[in-house]
């Protein structure tokens, strides 16, 4: 074998392994992105509700294997965000806050998971703070 053949073989192996590696990490990226978007939207709803706009809230929608949440403001659906395929959602119902920032319902924990990866968003009952469990706090 010449040096050129070895370099070409190594390049092909690296390209193939890179493509395979990215595919596996894509599911984690999509789940992280969905979780951060949901957390951001909950904080937005809390801010709007504290400013006096009590017609802004988030609700959960499930239709034939299609799970999503919808941000609604002034009786219009502003945004719909779909859960990545293969993932599941637990603990999400209608989310809205009082004018003092506390949740209308008791605080809750929203779990987003797809077998291996598990994310949690907690709405603290007393203060209404929205916390995303990530990094070393993930289980």
């Amino acid at each position: 074998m010449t040096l050129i053949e070895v370099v070409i073989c190594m390049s092909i192996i690296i390209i193939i392994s890179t493509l395979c590696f990215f595919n596996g990490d894509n599911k984690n990226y999509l789940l992280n992105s969905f979780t951060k978007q949901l957390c951001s939207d909950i904080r937005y709803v809390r801010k709007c509700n504290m400013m006096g706009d009590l017609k802004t809230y988030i609700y959960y929608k499930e239709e034939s294997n299609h799970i999503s949440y919808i941000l609604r403001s002034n009786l219009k659906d502003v945004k719909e965000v779909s859960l990545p395929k293969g993932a599941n959602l637990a603990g999400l119902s209608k989310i809205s806050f009082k004018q003092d920032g506390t949740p209308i319902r008791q605080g809750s924990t929203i779990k987003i998971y797809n077998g291996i990866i598990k994310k949690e968003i907690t709405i603290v009952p007393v203060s209404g703070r929205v916390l995303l469990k990530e990094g070393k706090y993930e289980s």
Side-chain angles (χ1 to χ4, degrees):
M1 289 184 98
T2 65
L3 183 61
I4 295 174
E5 290 173 330
V6 171
V7 169
I8 291 173
C9 286
M10 291 301 290
S11 300
I12 292 172
I13 291 172
I14 289 172
I15 290 170
I16 291 173
S17 64
T18 303
L19 292 175
C20 293
F21 176 73
F22 181 74
N23 238 357
D25 195 40
N26 194 22
K27 289 180 183 179
N28 189 17
Y29 171 77
L30 291 174
L31 199 67
N32 280 336
S33 176
F34 176 84
T35 305
K36 289 181 180 182
Q37 183 66 49
L38 176 59
C39 192
S40 175
D41 287 339
I42 293 171
R43 289 178 178 142
Y44 172 77
V45 167
R46 181 172 183 247
K47 180 183 166 205
C48 286
N49 291 161
M50 289 175 71
M51 301 279 287
D53 178 12
L54 299 177
K55 293 181 182 177
T56 301
Y57 59 91
I58 291 176
Y59 68 95
Y60 169 79
K61 178 180 166 187
E62 182 175 2
E63 292 178 349
S64 64
N65 298 331
H66 177 73
I67 301 171
S68 60
Y69 73 86
I70 297 174
L71 175 63
R72 188 173 190 116
S73 182
N74 294 324
L75 304 175
K76 294 180 184 175
D77 293 342
V78 176
K79 174 169 61 169
E80 181 174 350
V81 181
S82 297
L83 190 67
K85 290 182 181 177
N88 236 331
L89 188 63
L92 181 64
S93 58
K94 183 179 174 184
I95 298 174
S96 58
F97 297 86
K98 299 176 189 171
Q99 279 193 312
D100 63 355
T102 59
I104 288 182
R105 298 177 186 231
Q106 292 181 348
S108 61
T109 300
I110 302 165
K111 296 180 182 178
I112 304 147
Y113 54 93
N114 70 348
I116 302 170
I117 306 162
K118 180 181 171 188
K119 304 284 181 184
E120 289 184 6
I121 298 174
T122 303
I123 301 173
V124 180
V126 176
S127 65
R129 287 184 58 208
V130 181
L131 305 172
L132 173 59
K133 224 183 206 186
E134 60 184 344
K136 66 181 181 178
Y137 301 107
E138 286 181 313
S139 37

